[in-house]
Amino acid sequence: MVKQESYARRILKEAKMQNSNPAHVPMDPETKLSKVEEEPTINATSFQKLVGCLRYLMHTRPDMAYSDGVISQYIQDPRESHGMEIKHVLRYIQATVGFGIKYDKGSSRQLIGYSDSSHNVDVDDRRSTTGHIFYFVIIRNDNQPAIELSKNPVFHGRSKHIVTRDHFIRECVENEQVLVEHVAGDQ
């Protein structure tokens, strides 16, 4: 097991959150943060330091990847709602301080990757949010057109903007080095 329990405890102590009430999810998926300019600002230096600590902790805590990515978008001009959300993440760390990544001896040596994208969800600029995580075995994705593109070597008019070097996964699929399968986004 690879984990950073003492580092997680140090983050909580420095943020004065070591005795906080635990949260059971790093971020509510319905949370919609934005650049709310009417809200008071918070100390940017402290916020940036916490974001940096969380991003480092994320190396052994992929369960925090989404929340860290969302919070990191507001590093330049953090507001009260952003500070409240980072405190929620810290409360999640309080509840899961011993979490890490477990690698089983003798397990499969295949690579497995999950990819997800939420299109047009950013309240401020309508950008999409994308996340990836890889384990040892196969690639699973909830984007059916991306799967079809990885399997079909024909360039369509809608895919001409994708540079040839970006078709690496397609080549791996063709050479049977990678298996790509669909996983519904609501699971």
Side-chain angles (χ1 to χ4, degrees):
M1 164 102 40
V2 180
K3 60 183 178 176
Q4 300 180 71
E5 186 172 347
S6 61
Y7 183 65
R9 290 187 189 284
R10 192 172 88 210
I11 294 169
L12 292 168
K13 184 176 181 181
E14 288 178 12
K16 297 178 176 50
M17 298 280 294
Q18 68 269 29
N19 296 319
S20 61
N21 293 327
H24 300 290
V25 293
M27 177 180 277
D28 183 343
E30 300 299 317
T31 298
K32 301 287 186 219
L33 294 178
S34 68
K35 299 174 184 175
V36 187
E37 295 181 5
E38 309 84 52
E39 278 186 21
T41 59
I42 60 173
N43 184 316
T45 304
S46 298
F47 185 82
Q48 291 164 355
K49 181 179 178 183
L50 274 175
V51 168
C53 290
L54 294 178
R55 294 197 62 81
Y56 184 78
L57 183 63
M58 185 181 64
H59 293 303
T60 58
R61 297 289 305 269
D63 54 321
M64 296 172 29
Y66 176 77
S67 58
D68 287 1
V70 171
I71 290 171
S72 295
Q73 295 176 20
Y74 305 99
I75 201 165
Q76 295 301 319
D77 189 24
R79 303 294 175 144
E80 282 184 350
S81 60
H82 310 137
M84 289 173 39
E85 199 57 44
I86 205 165
K87 284 184 179 181
H88 180 86
V89 174
L90 291 169
R91 291 178 39 235
Y92 174 72
I93 293 171
Q94 172 69 15
T96 60
V97 73
F99 279 22
I101 299 176
K102 183 177 181 181
Y103 296 100
D104 292 327
K105 185 177 181 178
S107 64
S108 172
R109 295 208 182 263
Q110 295 175 310
L111 185 65
I112 182 169
Y114 291 89
S115 170
D116 189 17
S117 56
S118 300
H119 298 286
N120 202 16
V121 295
D122 191 290
V123 176
D124 299 314
D125 56 15
R126 302 326 243 167
R127 290 186 187 168
S128 301
T129 301
T130 303
H132 309 280
I133 186 166
F134 288 88
Y135 296 101
F136 288 109
V137 192
I138 65 177
I139 296 179
R140 296 183 175 145
N141 192 327
D142 74 341
N143 187 332
Q144 197 71 31
I147 292 171
E148 293 306 317
L149 186 60
S150 72
K151 293 178 180 178
N152 186 355
V154 177
F155 288 90
H156 300 285
R158 293 180 297 185
S159 64
K160 65 183 178 185
H161 66 284
I162 302 173
V163 184
T164 304
R165 66 179 167 81
D166 294 326
H167 287 282
F168 172 73
I169 295 295
R170 182 181 50 80
E171 292 173 11
C172 290
V173 169
E174 285 177 356
N175 296 332
E176 298 180 355
Q177 295 171 316
V178 172
L179 172 66
V180 181
E181 69 180 37
H182 180 256
V183 176
D186 58 353
Q187 293 182 352

